[in-house]
């Protein structure tokens, strides 16, 4: 190719607009693609105070009017926002004289825009499926949910390739939408390691004192306090752990299970050993992950499990339940400890194993860190993504659209 | 001249008066040697057809089958309309002069195509949400009104069928009078007026 490959990323969130995991994902992917010689234009929803057009770390970002009238419901808003998104994106591609090689859409939230642009400019469309409606809702119960599911199916139908972040999601998406195997590509999610290297200027023992006494080990849980995240499994494991180790359980996050969980802990007489912090800012969270003696991911259902990766990047040992994407991230007794899902005894065993054997814990964190560099490094992930772009463009060059 | 007409109803699918009007319009255009493509909806009779009257039709269906209302139904159907119109555009070696969009349903497709190809469109108003909703102004109605507004804003010209409608479009959406042309369907100069506005609005037309 004589000129550099140009990709237009379509995403409903991009920093500073952060709603879920798509925003940091698209940010890191775009930035590292740019470093690897891909020209990236991100088209995304506007955000108060963020400019309509700016260049962020070598990435061109265009923010569109995201439809601000009241909407009947979320899905209708999504479709209305897509009217504006594809209108603005079409004008942008026109200004670039059609010099966009690939449209890359993230989730059904930008399905309409991605599909429209594909056909209007006759360029390939790629889709990353981060999550599915049938997975989020554990089934399809209403027309509203079926409509979103069918929109997701339509996006995967129109896409030349569908990218998922774990083997678990590959098989889930295949099942949900009936896709051929050769249409799916697994490229893992990543974590920016530099963000987790220890800041020498911070006094960690002072920071630590805010959460636990020096004699207590810190057991950290990060996640929404909802049933499928399995916080209740950890709570039920607490007495069994305290029999052998003096520890403080720090639980970061919010959710509808906060009150029942607090009641459960009070009933067990363990209020002094379990601390709920609610939401914390990014820096506090990272410092907690750096200080923790073990990070626990006790989910019952987990498409990917980015918190486990974050803990690994922060050099904290991890104990995870053997399910979904988590099962793939961790090699048992090599990069972390895997335990049976929804089993407090098994979880307590795993946590004690890490807390009682510091040498083993260090070995696990060193292995985990090496694995991070090998597999979950954004630079590497972006190169894998670029390879997919190039493969698709090669196919495209033989199609009747060229 | 080569035009693409977008209408959500066209025989054999007849919902209201619009189907008959668009059929008559396109038959007359074909008689005047205007190459006429109609993009419209049909649940199962999809694809491209050459009608005996010399019109080419391209019928599409909705890729998303389950919906919670007409609004979401329209918003996803538009992508197929857009795809069909883009196919016509490329198959004609990009030599399309104008789009004529009837009512709000396919405004979304028309606006994207305009932005992508610098292809002007005319918005032919059959009715307005203001009157259909009898003053209701729920988010549902506001969304349809915002689409009508977008169409009126982005259209190069607006055709209405009565002076009353011209006044209503001006009152409700503050569209300048000189952007609106009243062309009554049954008037003796109907086709002459239509061709005149097509000629003055098409891509590359010299403004008088």
């Amino acid at each position: 190719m004589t000129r550099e490959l140009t990709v237009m990323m379509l995403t409903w969130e991009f920093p500073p607009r952060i709603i879920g995991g798509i925003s940091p994902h698209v940010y890191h992917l775009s930035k590292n693609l740019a470093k690897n010689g891909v020209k990236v234009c991100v088209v995304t929803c506007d955000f108060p105070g963020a400019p309509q057009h700016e260049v962020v770390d070598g990435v061109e970002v265009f923010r569109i009017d995201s439809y601000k009238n009241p909407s009947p419901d979320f899905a209708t808003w999504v479709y209305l926002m897509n009217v504006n998104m594809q209108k603005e994106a079409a004008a942008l591609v026109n200004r670039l004289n059609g010099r966009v090689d690939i449209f890359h859409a993230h989730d059904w939230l930008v399905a309409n825009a991605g599909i429209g642009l594909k056909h209007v400019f006759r360029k390939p469309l790629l889709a990353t499926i981060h999550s599915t409606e049938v997975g989020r809702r554990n089934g399809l119960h209403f027309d509203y949910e079926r409509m979103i599911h069918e929109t997701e199916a339509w996006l995967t139908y129109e896409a030349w390739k569908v990218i998922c972040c774990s083997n678990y999601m590959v098989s889930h998406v295949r099942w949900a939408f009936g896709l051929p195997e050769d249409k799916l590509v697994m490229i893992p999610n990543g974590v920016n390691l530099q963000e987790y290297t220890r800041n020498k200027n911070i006094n960690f023992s002072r920071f630590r004192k805010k959460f636990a006494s020096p004699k207590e080990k810190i057991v950290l849980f990060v996640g929404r306090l909802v049933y499928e995240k399995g916080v209740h499994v950890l709570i039920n494991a607490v007495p069994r752990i305290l029999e052998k180790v003096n520890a403080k359980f720090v639980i970061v996050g919010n959710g509808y299970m906060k009150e029942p969980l607090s009641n459960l802990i009070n009933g067990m007489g363990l209020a002094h050993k379990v601390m709920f912090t609610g939401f914390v800012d990014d820096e506090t969270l990272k410092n907690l992950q750096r200080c923790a003696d073990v990070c626990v991911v006790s989910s019952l259902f987990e498409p990917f499990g980015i918190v486990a990766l974050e803990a690994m990047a922060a050099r904290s040992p991890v104990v995870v339940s053997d399910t979904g994407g988590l099962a793939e991230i961790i090699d048992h007794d090599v990069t972390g400890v895997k335990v049976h899902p929804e089993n407090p005894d098994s979880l307590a065993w795993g946590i004690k194993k890490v807390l009682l054997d510091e040498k083993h814990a260090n070995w696990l964190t060193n292995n985990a860190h090496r694995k991070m560099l090998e597999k979950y490094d954004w630079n590497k992930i972006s190169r894998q993504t670029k390879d997919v772009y190039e493969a698709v463009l090669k196919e495209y060059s033989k199609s009747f659209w060229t | 001249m080569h035009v693409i007409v977008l209408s959500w109803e066209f025989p054999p699918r007849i919902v209201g008066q619009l189907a008959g009007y668009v059929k008559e319009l396109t038959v007359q255009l074909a008689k005047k040697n205007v190459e006429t493509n109609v993009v419209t909806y049909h649940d199962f009779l999809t694809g491209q057809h050459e009608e005996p009257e010399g019109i080419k039709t391209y019928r599409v269906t909705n890729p998303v089958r389950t919906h919670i209302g007409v609004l979401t139904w329209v918003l996803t159907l538009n992508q197929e309309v857009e795809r069909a119109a883009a196919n016509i555009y490329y198959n004609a070696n990009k030599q399309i002069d104008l789009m004529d969009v009837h009512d709000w349903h396919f405004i979304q497709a028309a606006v994207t195509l305009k932005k992508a190809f610098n292809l002007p469109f005319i918005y032919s108003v059959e009715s307005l949400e203001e009157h259909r909703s009898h003053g209701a102004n729920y988010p549902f109605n506001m969304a349809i009104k915002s689409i009508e507004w977008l169409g009126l804003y982005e259209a190069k010209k607006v055709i209405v069928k009565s002076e009353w409608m011209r006044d209503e479009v001006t009152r409700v959406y503050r569209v300048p009078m000189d952007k609106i042309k009243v062309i009554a369907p049954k008037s003796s100069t109907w086709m002459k007026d239509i061709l005149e506005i097509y000629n003055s609005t098409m891509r590359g037309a010299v403004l008088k």
Side-chain angles (χ1 to χ4, degrees):
Chain A
M1 205 169 295
T2 47
R3 63 184 176 80
E4 63 183 345
L5 199 161
T6 305
V7 59
M8 182 175 276
M9 292 277 183
L10 304 169
T11 173
W12 83 311
E13 50 167 333
F14 188 86
R17 181 179 154 95
I18 301 172
I19 290 147
I22 297 176
S23 183
H25 175 99
V26 176
Y27 167 70
H28 287 297
L29 178 62
S30 303
K31 182 173 120 178
N32 284 281
L33 279 168
K35 276 190 203 155
N36 282 303
V38 177
K39 186 172 155 47
V40 185
C41 292
V42 174
V43 179
T44 189
C45 294
D46 54 4
F47 190 79
Q52 280 187 309
H53 174 227
E54 64 176 330
V55 179
V56 183
D57 299 321
V59 178
E60 294 240 21
V61 182
F62 297 87
R63 296 192 176 83
I64 58 113
D65 168 16
S66 55
Y67 190 83
K68 301 208 189 47
N69 292 332
S71 289
D73 51 77
F74 177 70
T76 307
W77 173 79
V78 167
Y79 294 134
L80 288 163
M81 178 274 284
N82 270 265
V83 174
N84 287 350
M85 181 176 273
Q86 65 186 301
K87 173 185 81 165
E88 297 301 330
L92 179 60
V93 179
N94 192 346
R95 283 207 298 280
L96 297 167
N97 289 317
R99 280 201 290 270
V100 168
D101 300 302
I102 282 182
F103 296 104
H104 188 161
H106 293 263
D107 267 8
W108 75 280
L109 302 146
V110 292
N112 287 44
I115 293 164
L117 292 163
K118 166 191 164 182
H119 289 290
V120 165
F121 294 106
R122 295 198 152 180
K123 292 289 163 67
L125 169 71
L126 255 77
T128 299
I129 301 293
H130 295 263
S131 164
T132 65
E133 186 70 2
V134 62
R136 283 186 295 266
R137 310 272 183 171
N138 195 19
L140 301 166
H141 314 283
F142 303 101
D143 277 354
Y144 180 85
E145 294 168 3
R146 277 186 279 273
M147 179 177 80
I148 292 172
H149 171 77
E150 287 172 33
T151 306
E152 290 170 343
W154 175 38
L155 173 62
T156 62
Y157 172 85
E158 289 280 358
W160 286 50
K161 288 273 184 236
V162 175
I163 299 172
C164 295
C165 300
S166 67
N167 291 321
Y168 169 76
M169 273 305 276
V170 166
S171 75
H172 173 77
V173 163
R174 249 197 106 190
W175 162 78
F177 309 122
L179 299 181
E181 202 166 64
D182 61 1
K183 194 168 188 170
L184 287 150
V185 187
M186 201 285 277
I187 301 177
N189 216 331
V191 163
N192 185 10
L193 275 175
Q194 280 124 25
E195 285 177 13
Y196 287 88
T197 39
R198 265 174 186 260
N199 187 343
K200 296 271 186 319
N201 300 325
I202 293 171
N203 184 339
F204 275 97
S205 61
R206 220 164 88 198
F207 173 82
R208 206 181 181 284
K209 269 185 205 151
K210 286 194 250 177
F211 301 92
S213 81
K215 282 179 187 163
E216 285 173 323
K217 302 268 189 187
I218 291 182
V219 180
L220 181 66
F221 176 96
V222 179
R224 287 173 299 128
L225 304 185
V226 296
Y227 181 75
E228 69 262 28
K229 293 286 176 191
V231 207
H232 56 289
V233 185
L234 175 63
I235 303 292
N236 283 316
V238 169
R240 279 159 255 217
I241 297 161
L242 289 177
E243 281 170 16
K244 299 277 182 200
V245 200
N246 183 14
K248 182 64 130 326
F249 297 81
V250 179
I251 294 171
V252 180
N254 261 331
Y256 64 79
M257 279 191 58
K258 189 164 185 171
E259 210 184 305
L261 288 168
S262 313
N263 292 341
L264 177 66
I265 290 157
N266 289 335
M268 291 161 89
L270 290 171
H272 62 299
K273 282 291 176 191
V274 184
M275 179 178 183
F276 286 96
T277 66
F279 280 116
V280 298
D281 63 81
D282 200 45
E283 199 48 43
T284 308
L285 175 62
K286 287 194 173 95
N287 283 335
L288 266 170
Q289 285 166 324
R290 287 174 188 125
C291 289
D293 295 288
V294 62
C295 283
V296 179
V297 192
S298 46
S299 310
L300 314 183
F301 168 82
E302 193 65 73
F304 182 70
I306 191 88
V307 278
L309 280 194
E310 288 171 358
M312 287 158 77
R315 288 183 177 273
S316 160
V318 290
V319 175
V320 306
S321 46
D322 192 4
T323 183
L326 286 171
E328 292 165 42
I329 294 174
I330 303 298
D331 295 325
H332 180 59
D333 260 355
V334 180
T335 56
V337 174
K338 283 204 271 198
V339 301
H340 298 301
E342 220 169 349
N343 185 334
D345 280 323
S346 179
L347 185 61
W349 168 83
I351 292 168
K352 280 186 286 187
K353 188 177 161 102
V354 170
L355 292 182
L356 291 172
D357 189 347
E358 204 172 316
K359 222 172 124 191
H360 185 58
N362 282 337
W363 190 71
L364 293 177
T365 51
N366 285 335
N367 289 341
H369 205 259
R370 203 173 313 123
K371 175 107 180 259
M372 294 290 307
L373 288 171
E374 275 168 26
K375 197 168 172 192
Y376 302 107
D377 166 54
W378 274 114
N379 182 40
K380 194 158 184 175
I381 293 161
S382 71
R383 274 185 277 122
Q384 283 172 276
T385 310
K386 190 184 178 185
D387 288 345
V388 176
Y389 291 162
E390 279 167 354
V392 165
L393 284 174
K394 207 171 154 191
E395 275 179 42
Y396 169 76
S397 68
K398 293 177 204 149
S399 78
F400 77 90
W401 271 4
T402 51
Chain B
M1 189 170 14
H2 199 155
V3 299
I4 301 177
V5 176
L6 307 182
S7 170
W8 84 311
E9 50 170 313
F10 191 82
R13 182 183 134 84
I14 297 165
V15 181
Q17 289 182 48
L18 193 56
Y21 175 77
V22 176
K23 177 75 187 232
E24 182 59 19
L25 171 75
T26 50
V27 168
Q28 293 305 324
L29 284 172
K31 277 191 188 160
K32 299 282 181 191
N33 290 324
V34 176
E35 265 198 78
T36 310
N37 286 273
V38 181
V39 180
T40 189
Y41 162 79
H42 197 283
D43 190 31
F44 53 87
L45 293 176
T46 56
Q48 284 171 284
H49 300 277
E50 294 204 15
E51 310 282 328
E53 298 91 341
I55 314 158
K56 287 179 186 158
T57 53
Y58 200 149
R59 292 186 179 85
V60 294
T61 192
N62 204 317
V64 176
R65 310 298 296 179
T66 312
H67 278 284
I68 52 174
V70 71
L71 183 54
T72 60
W73 181 83
V74 162
L75 289 166
T76 57
L77 176 60
N78 258 273
Q79 301 311 144
E80 277 295 279
V81 171
E82 206 172 292
R83 181 180 68 83
N87 282 344
I88 294 166
Y89 174 81
Y90 285 109
N91 291 340
N93 289 319
K94 307 184 182 180
Q95 301 304 306
I96 302 289
D97 300 301
L98 181 69
M99 292 179 290
D100 187 356
V101 192
H102 294 263
D103 259 6
W104 67 280
H105 304 88
F106 297 158
I107 288 294
Q108 176 186 343
V111 170
T112 302
L113 293 163
K114 172 194 164 176
K115 299 280 179 186
F117 303 143
N118 304 320
L119 182 58
F121 73 90
I122 288 172
Y123 183 174
S124 295
V125 178
E126 172 77 16
S127 68
L128 292 180
E129 183 63 12
E130 173 84 358
H131 310 115
R132 288 189 301 263
S133 65
H134 300 283
N137 208 18
Y138 294 106
F140 175 88
N141 310 106
M142 288 169 76
I144 294 173
K145 286 178 187 175
S146 78
I147 294 168
E148 288 181 342
W149 172 82
L150 178 67
L152 293 164
Y153 180 79
E154 293 285 353
K156 202 158 173 191
K157 283 278 188 213
V158 178
I159 297 178
V160 296
K161 290 164 189 170
S162 67
E163 285 177 14
W164 173 78
M165 186 56 94
R166 179 194 60 199
D167 294 344
E168 283 299 282
V169 169
T170 313
R171 178 182 70 82
V172 179
Y173 293 108
R174 299 278 179 267
V175 177
M177 280 278 191
D178 57 6
K179 192 172 173 174
I180 311 172
K181 175 87 177 159
V182 182
I183 303 179
K186 299 291 177 196
S187 79
S188 55
T189 56
W190 176 57
M191 199 20 68
K192 181 178 149 284
D193 290 345
I194 294 277
L195 285 174
E196 209 172 275
I197 195 167
Y198 275 18
N199 274 312
S200 65
T201 315
M202 61 186 252
R203 182 150 63 170
V206 183
L207 287 176
K208 277 173 222 161

